[in-house]
Amino acid sequence: MSFLDDEFLAEWADTGHEPLGSVSGTVVMKTAGGPDGKVAVSLIFESGVLTAASAGTTRGADLTLEAPWQLAADVVRGNADPARHYMAGDLKVSGDMALWLELLPAWRAAGSLGSPS
């Protein structure tokens, strides 16, 4: 299993997750530089819980995050601070900034986005 491959996404979507505050919306994460080249995944949050993770982009996503593959893996797993990398310009954010400002502190407090190891 590799970060963001089909097996990772299936396990991620099927794992019980602690709520990340009360955030609801669709987040698209785009990465480049990994074993599969450019990869995009869609994450759906409902009342703070990650309810779905799937390959590809979702039309009308509320928030888009872009980062190099290794940084995205580190941030999702809680090994890197998303706020620090956002401020440094390594993690690009576009879309609903209110959703980002709601997701960020909950994500930082949880330490990860509930991803499998």
Side-chain angles (χ1 to χ4, degrees):
M1 175 171 54
S2 177
F3 176 65
L4 299 183
D5 69 8
D6 290 338
E7 184 181 356
F8 180 95
L9 292 174
E11 188 174 326
W12 197 8
D14 199 35
T15 303
H17 301 283
E18 292 295 320
L20 292 175
S22 60
V23 71
S24 292
T26 302
V27 177
V28 169
M29 180 177 291
K30 296 180 179 182
T31 68
D36 297 320
K38 292 183 179 181
V39 175
V41 297
S42 295
L43 311 172
I44 299 174
F45 291 91
E46 295 177 15
S47 299
V49 176
L50 177 64
T51 59
S54 58
T57 60
T58 299
R59 180 178 229 122
D62 300 300
L63 185 67
T64 300
L65 308 175
E66 295 182 57
W69 184 86
Q70 187 60 57
L71 175 58
D74 291 343
V75 167
V76 166
R77 291 181 173 138
N79 299 326
D81 182 358
R84 182 176 149 259
H85 287 282
Y86 170 70
M87 294 302 290
D90 304 324
L91 174 64
K92 308 273 192 245
V93 178
S94 60
D96 185 348
M97 294 308 284
L99 177 59
W100 170 245
L101 293 175
E102 184 179 353
L103 176 63
L104 182 60
W107 182 2
R108 291 177 78 196
S112 76
L113 283 179
S115 70
S117 299

